[in-house]
Amino acid sequence: MYLLGIDVGTSSVKVALVAAGDQRIIATAQYPEKEADIISVKPGWAEQDPNDWWYCVQQAILKITSRYKEEAANVKAIGIAYQMHGLVVVDQHQKTLRNSIIWCDSRAVELGEDAFEQIGKDKCLASLLNSPGNFTASKLAWVKQHEPEIYSLIDKAMLPGDFIAMKLTGAVTTTVSALSEAILWDFQKQQLADEVLAHYQLDLKHIPELQPLFSVHGELTKDVATLLGLSTGIPVTYKAGDQLNNALSLNVMRPGEVAATAGTSGVIYGVSDQLKADSQSRVNTFAHVNYSENKSYTGVLLCINGVGSMYRWAKQQWAPQLSYQQLNQLSQTSPIGSKGLKVLPFGNGAERMLTNKYTGAQMLNISLNTHTNADVFRAVQEGIAFAFRYGLDIMRSNGLDPSIIRAGLANLFLSEVFAQTFVDVTATPVELFDNDGSVGAALGAGIGAGIYKNEQEAFENLKPIKTIEPRNSRDYEPVYQEWKNILTNKLNEFN
């Protein structure tokens, strides 16, 4: 008996085939091999074509099913993880009407800020646990205001994972967790956020059918099953945003537990049992995968838009011929503090933790006689780690102070410089796991299908590869404070 997990990321789609019995990873695949493009026709805009995601899903699945035909014939459930906060709109024939406005797009910021004022800040923070910001509901409102001809054709508005589930099954569903990340869930009333719908004058019929997160969200159609080398009728039993899914895949399910990831974006995600919001909506609270009316487990999410994208940009500019592994080794030759070079890694849209300000990425204190490529790549990694510390301090001010953080050994955590800097500057140990979002989605599907009794059984074999302890916190503190002063001065320019 096997499980299939799909992780629809910004840069690629990953798929995993997992043995249900012992959670062994049978095979993984990725498509495309190179990072997918983001369409940005104006500064601060970010779009992708949902049909490209679907094509990538097909290609990644076929990589596995073409080699593991017997196992593919015994897949019992499918799970989906996806890039959060994107907007996908389709007509009554389930055809996309425009590109997806994805998570790092900033065009709806002003609409969200106006909604925050008009609905009432206290009401939003108490009921929505967030400002409407530039989240999915605000993006849909932007389409209504600026593209009325498209809005008039909308049958359903959904998140990226809902779209992929629709392509697999023909069914369109959503969850409380998904609605909360769209800022369309009222935690006090335990229902759709009618104040947001009313303020934006959004049509209720556009909202998909509400289903429990761990439940059947449709079954694989005959045509799609034949196309992908799978069996007809396999249920999709789990859908979750990528950061919630990352937490699930690290077994971060109980209050006080914290996960981190450093992919295209950077995230610290902690589980809470308090319906609490940051007063400035710098960190955001959503319904966790195990949220229920009787168990108000929420995920407090700090997001930094420009993490992996900042490192990729630096690579393209200074050393496109080198691999990331070579860059990581090169950066080890630069000392702590990168000889005074400082990087603000905020070049991928308005940052929520900076109260939706867009500073742009910046490199400061450049010495033409001193700095080398090694210093550049270390400074970029340090700047990213400092951004994590800045955000974690906001989370700490809201009562979430982790004693340890769990992360997958992937992306920037593959760099010894970044991983140790992250630990040193936050003064918090990190446990690293050999895990993957697509594997987590597969195990989530097992929970949703009832193959596992609970999440503890699904992750009973999860063990850390290693733990990184703080070594240089004292040396890094003054370097971080210098970086923070630069950021503070930049933010003051907006005021």
Side-chain angles (χ1 to χ4, degrees):
M1 181 163 53
Y2 299 92
L3 304 165
L4 191 71
I6 303 167
D7 184 6
V8 183
T10 310
S11 58
S12 68
V13 169
K14 297 177 182 177
V15 173
L17 181 67
V18 176
D22 57 6
Q23 297 95 50
R24 258 182 321 116
I25 302 170
I26 304 302
T28 61
Q30 175 180 318
Y31 195 90
E33 297 300 329
K34 292 186 176 181
E35 298 178 37
D37 292 331
I38 293 175
I39 303 164
S40 183
V41 298
K42 292 185 179 181
W45 287 26
E47 298 183 357
Q48 289 183 324
D49 184 347
N51 298 297
D52 288 345
W53 303 335
W54 174 230
Y55 178 76
C56 293
V57 166
Q58 294 173 63
Q59 297 307 306
I61 291 176
L62 286 168
K63 280 186 176 184
I64 291 176
T65 57
S66 63
R67 292 176 54 208
Y68 296 90
K69 293 178 179 160
E70 183 177 341
E71 292 86 349
N74 287 287
V75 169
K76 300 302 180 186
I78 297 172
I80 301 170
Y82 59 88
Q83 50 171 293
M84 296 173 70
H85 312 306
L87 171 69
V88 183
V89 290
V90 299
D91 65 16
Q92 60 182 347
H93 304 293
Q94 298 189 345
K95 301 295 185 183
T96 56
L97 293 167
R98 68 173 331 280
N99 285 339
S100 172
I101 303 175
I102 66 171
W103 56 277
C104 54
D105 187 286
S106 305
R107 75 186 71 183
V109 166
E110 290 184 8
L111 283 173
E113 289 178 345
D114 181 65
F116 197 30
E117 293 285 345
Q118 296 299 319
I119 296 171
K121 292 183 178 181
D122 291 342
K123 187 170 186 58
C124 284
L125 295 178
S127 300
L128 309 174
L129 306 184
N130 297 287
S131 159
N134 61 326
F135 293 110
T136 315
S138 300
K139 290 166 182 168
L140 182 57
W142 185 93
V143 173
K144 178 181 173 67
Q145 183 176 117
H146 295 275
E147 299 174 344
E149 70 287 353
I150 290 177
Y151 186 84
S152 68
L153 297 174
I154 294 174
D155 180 60
K156 289 291 180 281
M158 62 189 87
L159 293 154
D162 302 327
F163 172 77
I164 295 302
M166 180 197 76
K167 297 298 287 186
L168 291 167
T169 70
V172 185
T173 69
T174 191
T175 68
V176 168
S177 179
L179 291 172
S180 74
E181 69 170 272
I183 316 301
L184 283 171
W185 186 253
D186 188 316
F187 285 90
Q188 288 190 332
K189 296 179 181 177
Q190 292 292 322
Q191 65 177 42
L192 272 166
D194 47 17
E195 289 94 346
V196 176
L197 291 168
H199 174 80
Y200 285 141
Q201 296 183 345
L202 300 176
D203 199 323
L204 184 61
K205 71 179 184 182
H206 295 157
I207 307 300
E209 176 189 355
L210 183 61
Q211 288 275 97
L213 189 144
F214 294 106
S215 69
V216 175
H217 295 277
E219 297 179 344
L220 205 61
T221 64
K222 181 179 179 181
D223 288 347
V224 171
T226 301
L227 174 68
L228 299 179
L230 295 165
S231 301
T232 303
I234 301 172
V236 173
T237 57
Y238 169 82
K239 293 189 300 183
D242 52 8
Q243 300 309 324
L244 286 70
N245 179 72
N246 181 61
L248 172 100
S249 66
L250 293 165
N251 198 19
V252 170
M253 301 292 283
R254 289 158 290 276
E257 295 178 337
V258 175
T261 183
T264 303
S265 63
V267 168
I268 299 178
Y269 182 96
V271 180
S272 173
D273 57 1
Q274 304 295 314
L275 295 180
K276 185 176 179 181
D278 178 63
S279 60
Q280 299 179 59
S281 205
R282 296 166 297 176
V283 297
N284 304 105
T285 303
F286 309 111
H288 194 31
V289 294
N290 56 352
Y291 175 91
S292 68
E293 193 171 346
N294 300 320
K295 188 169 65 175
S296 297
Y297 283 4
T298 58
V300 181
L301 187 150
L302 159 79
C303 181
I304 308 162
N305 291 346
V307 170
S309 53
M310 179 76 209
Y311 201 37
R312 177 183 64 179
W313 179 85
K315 177 183 184 299
Q316 290 171 338
Q317 306 310 313
W318 278 280
Q321 76 282 6
L322 299 183
S323 67
Y324 282 112
Q325 183 179 4
Q326 289 172 316
L327 294 188
N328 298 340
Q329 292 169 346
L330 179 63
S331 63
Q332 292 179 37
T333 65
S334 178
I336 288 175
S338 307
K339 302 176 189 171
L341 195 60
K342 297 288 189 297
V343 170
L344 300 181
F346 304 120
N348 200 22
E351 296 283 357
R352 290 194 292 277
M353 76 170 186
L354 304 181
T355 60
N356 282 323
K357 293 181 176 66
Y358 179 47
T359 67
Q362 298 185 34
M363 188 172 292
L364 303 100
N365 302 336
I366 300 170
S367 169
L368 303 181
N369 299 316
T370 302
H371 293 127
T372 66
N373 278 8
D375 303 316
V376 167
F377 292 114
R378 183 172 190 119
V380 169
Q381 293 181 74
E382 288 182 336
I384 293 167
F386 295 159
F388 272 107
R389 159 69 185 276
Y390 186 89
L392 183 58
D393 283 350
I394 294 172
M395 299 178 82
R396 284 167 170 156
S397 71
N398 283 280
L400 191 68
D401 190 8
S403 59
I404 196 161
I405 295 172
R406 298 176 191 167
L409 183 58
N411 302 313
L412 271 168
F413 279 106
L414 290 167
S415 167
E416 290 185 20
V417 166
F418 172 77
Q420 188 64 56
T421 303
F422 178 97
V423 168
D424 288 337
V425 77
T426 62
T428 308
V430 167
E431 289 182 335
L432 291 174
F433 293 80
D434 183 14
N435 86 312
D436 180 279
S438 58
V439 175
L443 297 176
I447 299 170
I451 294 168
Y452 305 120
K453 289 181 288 189
N454 50 44
E455 58 263 20
Q456 285 76 28
E457 185 177 344
F459 295 97
E460 61 186 2
N461 292 319
L462 183 69
K463 300 290 187 295
I465 300 170
K466 63 178 178 179
T467 301
I468 304 174
E469 298 285 348
R471 279 201 321 239
N472 308 299
S473 294
R474 183 175 296 178
D475 293 333
Y476 260 119
E477 188 60 25
V479 181
Y480 168 72
Q481 293 299 334
E482 290 174 8
W483 179 94
K484 183 181 175 183
N485 286 337
I486 291 170
L487 175 61
T488 300
N489 290 336
K490 184 65 182 176
L491 295 175
N492 286 340
E493 293 177 12
F494 286 89
N495 301 322

